[in-house]
Amino acid sequence: MSITRVLSAALLAVGLAAGPAVADSSPSPSASEDSGAPTQAGTSFRTATEIDQGQQATASGSTGDYLYWSFPADAGQRPDVKATVKLPDSHAGQTWQLDVYDGLRRRQACQYGAQTRTAAQGAASVELACVMRTVRAWSEPWADDPLPGTYYIRLTVVNLTSADLGQPVSAEVKVDSKDIGGSAAVDGSLAKPLVPGIAVKSESDETSSSSTKSAVLSSIEPDDGWSSGWWTDRWVWTGIGGVLAALAGIGGYALTRGSGRPRGV
């Protein structure tokens, strides 16, 4: 009886020791979770897939399709749009182009970056980039400056042979931005950012009408909300400059005033 008890206790100890090892070998639930990045692209401005800055989106399509994404950009930011197109194994030379449009659907110029590139015959992929101008808080109506709001990315092929039309391709798009700060600040700000349907949203908020109108609105915005446009670090430098100017005036007066009225006067 005692031998049986000893063997049972030994088997139980072995089972408890092996239990955690088996549990540790299984994949954790967090490793299999989806990151939430979009895996498809729109086919027009109205159906553009919304992405956040710093988020890498992927999509599958065919050569000849127009792929659209949208992202928010606020005042003081300089967006950097990058795209990679993975081409089929066998293809002729192809020219791909990356275009960026603002909330008014005006095509924005790129400061630098390979906005249009030609993939040689049989190339595995092609990489495109567009570093935009700094987004301004306000601009003249006739100007083409980038303003706060929604921006659209359009990726398509512009030079394609009929034999390659319709072949499957996959694309990766990512948007990063650099905060330029007060050096790009301007006097003034927009009443509302250039977001699709922002006027309809404001009207529906005032009248407390049904939410059917706001269904067409873009839901993306910066993490900390849209900036008011009046505060920049230029105010800090202006204050420091004013203090230094006052100190310089006091020092100059102290050096030039002399010791007082001369004797005998």
Side-chain angles (χ1 to χ4, degrees), residues 154-201:
R154 186 180 71 178
L155 180 64
T156 187
V157 60
V158 295
N159 185 12
L160 184 68
T161 61
S162 58
D164 292 336
L165 185 63
Q167 289 192 0
V169 294
S170 60
E172 297 178 356
V173 173
K174 186 177 181 180
V175 181
D176 296 314
S177 65
K178 180 179 179 181
D179 191 3
I180 303 302
S183 60
V186 296
D187 295 333
S189 62
L190 298 179
K192 297 290 183 180
L194 300 180
V195 177
I198 190 68
V200 178
K201 181 178 180 181

Coordinates of all heavy atoms in Angstrom, one line a residue, residues 154-201:
R154 N -3.8 58.2 -54.2 CA -4.2 57.4 -55.4 C -3.0 56.8 -56.0 O -2.0 57.4 -56.3 CB -4.9 58.3 -56.4 CG -5.5 57.5 -57.6 CD -6.1 58.4 -58.6 NE -5.2 59.1 -59.4 CZ -5.5 60.0 -60.4 NH1 -6.8 60.2 -60.7 NH2 -4.6 60.6 -61.1
L155 N -3.1 55.5 -56.1 CA -2.0 54.6 -56.6 C -2.5 53.9 -57.9 O -3.5 53.2 -57.8 CB -1.5 53.6 -55.6 CG -0.4 52.7 -56.0 CD1 0.9 53.5 -56.3 CD2 -0.1 51.7 -54.9
T156 N -1.8 54.1 -59.0 CA -2.2 53.4 -60.2 C -1.0 53.3 -61.2 O 0.0 53.9 -61.0 CB -3.4 54.2 -60.9 OG1 -3.9 53.5 -62.0 CG2 -2.8 55.5 -61.4
V157 N -1.2 52.5 -62.2 CA -0.2 52.3 -63.2 C -0.6 53.2 -64.4 O -1.8 53.3 -64.8 CB -0.1 50.8 -63.7 CG1 -1.4 50.3 -64.2 CG2 1.0 50.7 -64.7
V158 N 0.4 53.9 -65.0 CA 0.1 54.9 -66.1 C 0.6 54.4 -67.4 O 0.3 55.0 -68.4 CB 0.7 56.3 -65.7 CG1 0.0 56.8 -64.5 CG2 2.2 56.2 -65.4
N159 N 1.4 53.4 -67.4 CA 2.0 52.9 -68.6 C 2.0 51.4 -68.6 O 2.7 50.8 -67.8 CB 3.4 53.4 -68.8 CG 4.0 53.0 -70.2 OD1 3.3 52.5 -71.1 ND2 5.3 53.1 -70.4
L160 N 1.1 50.8 -69.3 CA 0.8 49.3 -69.2 C 0.5 48.8 -70.6 O -0.2 49.4 -71.4 CB -0.3 49.1 -68.3 CG -0.7 47.6 -68.0 CD1 0.4 47.0 -67.1 CD2 -2.0 47.6 -67.2
T161 N 1.1 47.6 -70.9 CA 0.8 46.9 -72.1 C -0.5 46.1 -71.9 O -0.9 45.8 -70.8 CB 1.9 45.9 -72.5 OG1 2.1 45.0 -71.4 CG2 3.2 46.7 -72.7
S162 N -1.2 45.8 -73.0 CA -2.4 45.1 -73.0 C -2.3 43.7 -72.4 O -3.2 43.1 -71.8 CB -3.1 45.0 -74.4 OG -2.2 44.4 -75.3
A163 N -1.1 43.1 -72.6 CA -0.9 41.7 -72.1 C -0.8 41.7 -70.6 O -1.1 40.7 -70.0 CB 0.5 41.2 -72.7
D164 N -0.4 42.8 -69.9 CA -0.3 42.8 -68.5 C -1.6 43.3 -67.8 O -1.6 43.4 -66.6 CB 0.9 43.7 -68.0 CG 2.2 43.1 -68.4 OD1 2.3 41.8 -68.6 OD2 3.2 43.8 -68.5
L165 N -2.5 43.7 -68.6 CA -3.8 44.3 -68.0 C -4.5 43.2 -67.2 O -4.8 42.1 -67.7 CB -4.7 44.8 -69.1 CG -5.9 45.6 -68.6 CD1 -5.6 46.8 -67.8 CD2 -6.8 45.9 -69.8
G166 N -4.8 43.5 -65.9 CA -5.6 42.6 -65.1 C -4.8 41.6 -64.3 O -5.4 40.8 -63.6
Q167 N -3.5 41.7 -64.4 CA -2.7 40.8 -63.6 C -2.7 41.2 -62.1 O -2.8 42.4 -61.8 CB -1.2 40.8 -64.0 CG -1.0 40.1 -65.4 CD 0.5 39.9 -65.7 OE1 1.3 40.2 -64.9 NE2 0.7 39.3 -66.9
P168 N -2.7 40.2 -61.2 CA -2.8 40.5 -59.8 C -1.6 41.2 -59.2 O -0.4 40.9 -59.5 CB -3.0 39.2 -59.1 CG -2.3 38.2 -60.1 CD -2.6 38.7 -61.4
V169 N -1.8 42.2 -58.4 CA -0.7 42.9 -57.7 C -1.2 43.2 -56.3 O -2.3 43.1 -55.9 CB -0.4 44.3 -58.4 CG1 0.2 44.1 -59.8 CG2 -1.6 45.2 -58.4
S170 N -0.2 43.5 -55.4 CA -0.5 43.9 -54.0 C 0.3 45.1 -53.7 O 1.4 45.4 -54.2 CB -0.1 42.7 -53.1 OG 1.3 42.4 -53.2
A171 N -0.3 45.9 -52.8 CA 0.3 47.2 -52.5 C 0.4 47.4 -51.0 O -0.5 46.9 -50.3 CB -0.5 48.4 -53.2
E172 N 1.4 48.1 -50.6 CA 1.5 48.5 -49.2 C 1.7 50.1 -49.1 O 2.5 50.6 -49.9 CB 2.7 47.9 -48.5 CG 2.6 46.3 -48.4 CD 3.9 45.7 -47.8 OE1 4.8 46.5 -47.6 OE2 3.9 44.5 -47.7
V173 N 1.0 50.7 -48.3 CA 1.0 52.2 -48.1 C 1.2 52.6 -46.7 O 0.5 52.0 -45.8 CB -0.3 52.8 -48.7 CG1 -0.3 54.3 -48.4 CG2 -0.4 52.6 -50.2
K174 N 2.0 53.5 -46.4 CA 2.2 54.0 -45.1 C 2.4 55.5 -45.1 O 3.1 56.0 -46.0 CB 3.4 53.3 -44.4 CG 3.6 53.7 -42.9 CD 4.7 52.9 -42.3 CE 4.9 53.3 -40.8 NZ 6.0 52.6 -40.2
V175 N 1.9 56.3 -44.2 CA 2.0 57.7 -44.1 C 2.6 58.1 -42.7 O 2.1 57.7 -41.7 CB 0.6 58.4 -44.2 CG1 0.8 59.9 -44.2 CG2 0.0 58.0 -45.6
D176 N 3.7 58.8 -42.8 CA 4.3 59.4 -41.6 C 4.4 60.9 -41.8 O 4.2 61.4 -42.9 CB 5.7 58.8 -41.4 CG 5.7 57.3 -41.1 OD1 4.9 56.9 -40.3 OD2 6.5 56.6 -41.7
S177 N 4.6 61.6 -40.7 CA 4.7 63.1 -40.8 C 5.7 63.6 -39.8 O 6.0 63.0 -38.8 CB 3.3 63.7 -40.6 OG 2.9 63.5 -39.3
K178 N 6.3 64.7 -40.1 CA 7.2 65.4 -39.3 C 6.6 66.8 -38.8 O 6.0 67.5 -39.7 CB 8.5 65.7 -40.0 CG 9.6 66.4 -39.2 CD 10.8 66.6 -40.0 CE 11.9 67.4 -39.1 NZ 13.1 67.6 -39.9
D179 N 6.6 67.0 -37.6 CA 6.1 68.3 -37.0 C 7.1 69.4 -37.2 O 8.1 69.4 -36.6 CB 5.7 68.1 -35.5 CG 4.9 69.2 -35.0 OD1 4.5 70.1 -35.8 OD2 4.6 69.2 -33.8
I180 N 6.8 70.3 -38.1 CA 7.7 71.4 -38.4 C 7.7 72.4 -37.3 O 8.8 73.0 -37.0 CB 7.3 72.0 -39.8 CG1 7.3 70.9 -40.9 CG2 8.3 73.1 -40.2 CD1 8.7 70.2 -41.0
G181 N 6.6 72.7 -36.7 CA 6.6 73.7 -35.6 C 6.3 75.1 -36.1 O 5.7 75.4 -37.1
G182 N 6.8 76.1 -35.3 CA 6.4 77.5 -35.5 C 7.1 78.1 -36.7 O 6.6 79.1 -37.2
S183 N 8.1 77.5 -37.3 CA 8.7 78.0 -38.5 C 7.8 78.0 -39.7 O 8.0 78.8 -40.6 CB 10.0 77.2 -38.8 OG 9.6 75.9 -39.1
A184 N 6.7 77.2 -39.6 CA 5.8 77.1 -40.7 C 4.4 77.7 -40.3 O 3.4 77.6 -41.0 CB 5.5 75.7 -41.2
A185 N 4.4 78.4 -39.2 CA 3.1 79.0 -38.7 C 2.7 80.2 -39.5 O 3.6 81.0 -40.0 CB 3.2 79.3 -37.2
V186 N 1.5 80.4 -39.6 CA 0.9 81.6 -40.3 C -0.2 82.2 -39.4 O -0.7 81.6 -38.5 CB 0.4 81.3 -41.7 CG1 1.5 80.8 -42.6 CG2 -0.7 80.2 -41.6
D187 N -0.5 83.5 -39.7 CA -1.5 84.2 -39.0 C -2.9 83.8 -39.6 O -3.1 83.9 -40.8 CB -1.3 85.7 -39.0 CG -0.1 86.1 -38.3 OD1 0.3 85.4 -37.4 OD2 0.5 87.2 -38.7
G188 N -3.8 83.3 -38.7 CA -5.1 82.9 -39.2 C -5.3 81.4 -39.1 O -4.3 80.6 -39.0
S189 N -6.5 81.0 -39.2 CA -6.8 79.6 -39.2 C -8.2 79.4 -39.9 O -8.9 80.3 -40.1 CB -7.0 79.1 -37.8 OG -8.0 79.7 -37.1
L190 N -8.4 78.1 -40.4 CA -9.7 77.8 -41.0 C -10.8 77.6 -40.0 O -10.6 77.3 -38.8 CB -9.5 76.5 -41.8 CG -8.5 76.4 -42.9 CD1 -8.5 75.0 -43.5 CD2 -8.8 77.4 -44.0
A191 N -12.0 78.0 -40.4 CA -13.1 77.8 -39.5 C -13.4 76.3 -39.3 O -13.7 75.9 -38.1 CB -14.4 78.4 -40.1
K192 N -13.2 75.5 -40.3 CA -13.3 74.0 -40.2 C -12.3 73.4 -41.0 O -11.9 73.9 -42.1 CB -14.7 73.5 -40.6 CG -15.9 74.1 -39.8 CD -15.9 73.4 -38.4 CE -17.1 73.9 -37.6 NZ -17.1 73.3 -36.2
P193 N -11.7 72.2 -40.6 CA -10.8 71.5 -41.5 C -11.5 71.0 -42.8 O -12.7 70.8 -42.8 CB -10.3 70.3 -40.6 CG -11.4 70.1 -39.6 CD -12.0 71.5 -39.4
L194 N -10.7 70.8 -43.8 CA -11.2 70.3 -45.1 C -11.5 68.8 -45.0 O -10.8 68.0 -45.6 CB -10.3 70.7 -46.2 CG -10.0 72.2 -46.4 CD1 -9.0 72.4 -47.5 CD2 -11.2 73.0 -46.6
V195 N -12.6 68.5 -44.3 CA -13.0 67.1 -44.2 C -14.3 66.9 -44.9 O -15.2 67.8 -44.8 CB -13.2 66.7 -42.7 CG1 -13.7 65.3 -42.6 CG2 -11.9 66.9 -42.0
P196 N -14.5 65.9 -45.7 CA -15.7 65.7 -46.5 C -17.0 65.7 -45.6 O -17.1 65.0 -44.6 CB -15.6 64.3 -47.1 CG -14.1 64.1 -47.2 CD -13.5 64.8 -46.0
G197 N -17.9 66.6 -45.9 CA -19.2 66.6 -45.2 C -19.1 67.3 -43.8 O -20.0 67.2 -43.0
I198 N -18.0 68.1 -43.6 CA -17.9 68.8 -42.3 C -19.0 69.8 -42.1 O -19.5 70.1 -41.0 CB -16.5 69.5 -42.2 CG1 -16.3 70.0 -40.7 CG2 -16.3 70.6 -43.2 CD1 -16.2 68.9 -39.7
A199 N -19.4 70.5 -43.2 CA -20.5 71.4 -43.1 C -21.9 70.7 -42.8 O -22.7 71.2 -42.0 CB -20.7 72.2 -44.4
V200 N -22.1 69.6 -43.3 CA -23.3 68.8 -43.0 C -23.3 68.4 -41.6 O -24.3 68.4 -40.9 CB -23.4 67.6 -44.0 CG1 -24.7 66.8 -43.7 CG2 -23.5 68.1 -45.4
K201 N -22.1 68.0 -41.1 CA -22.0 67.6 -39.7 C -22.3 68.7 -38.7 O -23.0 68.6 -37.7 CB -20.6 67.0 -39.4 CG -20.4 66.5 -38.0 CD -19.1 65.9 -37.8 CE -18.9 65.4 -36.4 NZ -17.5 64.9 -36.2

